[in-house]
Amino acid sequence: MKIQAINGFKDILPDSVVRWQYIEQRARDIFERFGMQEIRMPILEKTELFVRSIGEATDVVEKEMYSFADKGITMRPEATASIMRAFIEHGLHVQQPVQRLYTIGPMFRHERPQKGRLRQFHQLDAEIIGAVEPRVDAELIAMGQMLLDELGLSVSLELNSLGCPVCRPPFKERLVAHLEGISTGLCEDCRRRRHTNPLRVLDCKKPTCRELVQDAPSLLESLCSNCDRHFHEVEEALSLLGIDFRRNRFMVRGLDYYTRTTFEFLTSDLGAQAAVGAGGRYDGLIEQLGGPPLPGIGFAMGMERIALLLEQQGDAGLPATGADIFLAALGRDTVAPCSLLAHLLRREGVRAAIDYSGRSLKAQLKQANRQNARFTLIVGDDELARREGTLRNMATQEQRPVDLSGTAAEQCQRLIRVLRA
Ligand code: HAM
């Protein structure tokens, strides 16, 4: 029996890795333009960290975590909680009052796998800790938008506010009373959530529930004056930066730590998995985890979803890959000098490929094409005797002689001049 990867866990093969590296490189570039620094945390954390931050009555904690129950540890389902744990543990705020941190890596959730939804998936996660100004919310959202724009992806941005401990509890009471009246029509999950996590009923994706909550009270219209001002200032700051958005009063998010601003970047090109990225403010979280009373805001983007979108639109912008030069050593005596030449070229930063098998020219040119080589240097026994090789431009198929006299180091320098011309 062949052993295969676990359902929902996927290999990223070399052809796709190019796309992943491109996404990562663009993300790092943009995050660093915004003064963000990378942080890397372990994949395993104490289960309690996620229970206390994401919330006991969330899908993630209730049914999606990969936990080792006997050891009390869990494979991180997201990065925010781990970043906060590290932030508190190392007292990062003492060094710098506002911390801008990002991380890139795998997360684990036991969801039903489908297109764009995996059990091991990868996030680009960015957090700004210690700043409460609405302009920071707009700046962070604009950073996410800039990344998606520069990757050439078109998404829509939805915005909401989830209020704070002042305005949310009275709203919840009104909502629960309203849900009481429509409970018979709600799906089974929502009937349960009505008691455990009533706000989540508002963003149930089932058409009947959606229809039923249309007349539910709106948190956006029930915000306290501070949250209301914050929301309007975020909207103004976004408009100033030229970021388009749409209010969505039904957006609740599946994690409990959010306060005030929440947002999602959505696409219509991935079927059911519409969210390319999402995030929001979590002003009480750090204190709740035993740290100082500092606010925070962040987002995470799903790399599988970004990669799928890039692929769907023909991988525009992806850098060309492949060898700069393929050395086709044709005769028995040519393999050794060609291998030395390849080594010297590589030492000079050239991507040099070589085939040691001594196969026919036709086979080696085929191999050169497979490796996407720009040039092939053809060296046969006769040519070696004449101290001359043939350089073939693989795109135009033009061939010209190249001087192979002198030492290997001299040949190498001469070739580099030709390649870089
Ligand atoms: P989230 O909405 O749970 O938020 O996930 C963020 C993004 O991760 C989603 O929009 C989606 O693109 C991707 N994602 C989530 N689950 C999966 C999955 N099973 N398969 C593939 N992609 C997935 C968070 O994780 C928060 N920590 C975001 C945040 C950061 N909020 C504040 N700071």
Side-chain angles (χ1 to χ4, degrees), residues 60 77-81 109 111 116-123 125-127 253-255 257-258 264-265 273 275-282 297-305:
V60 174
E78 57 115 50
T80 311
R109 294 185 195 173
E111 294 187 83
R117 189 163 75 194
L118 286 115
R119 291 180 170 169
Q120 174 175 333
F121 60 100
H122 298 74
Q123 285 186 341
D125 182 289
E127 315 283 346
R253 312 279 302 114
L255 314 159
Y257 48 61
Y258 291 112
E264 289 184 347
F265 294 104
Q273 305 312 314
V276 179
R281 221 170 230 293
Y282 43 83
I297 181 164
F299 67 69
M301 299 210 182
M303 293 182 73
E304 281 75 9
R305 296 186 190 176

Side-chain angles (χ1 to χ4, degrees), residues 342-369:
H343 184 68
L344 297 181
L345 284 164
R346 288 167 178 161
R347 228 166 50 181
E348 296 294 322
V350 174
R351 297 180 188 196
I354 183 166
D355 184 327
Y356 298 117
S357 68
R359 285 186 295 173
S360 71
L361 177 61
K362 197 170 155 212
Q364 295 211 36
L365 285 176
K366 212 163 153 192
Q367 178 67 15
N369 272 327

Side-chain angles (χ1 to χ4, degrees), residues 159-170:
L159 193 66
N160 194 19
S161 174
L162 292 182
C164 70
V166 172
C167 48
R168 194 156 47 190

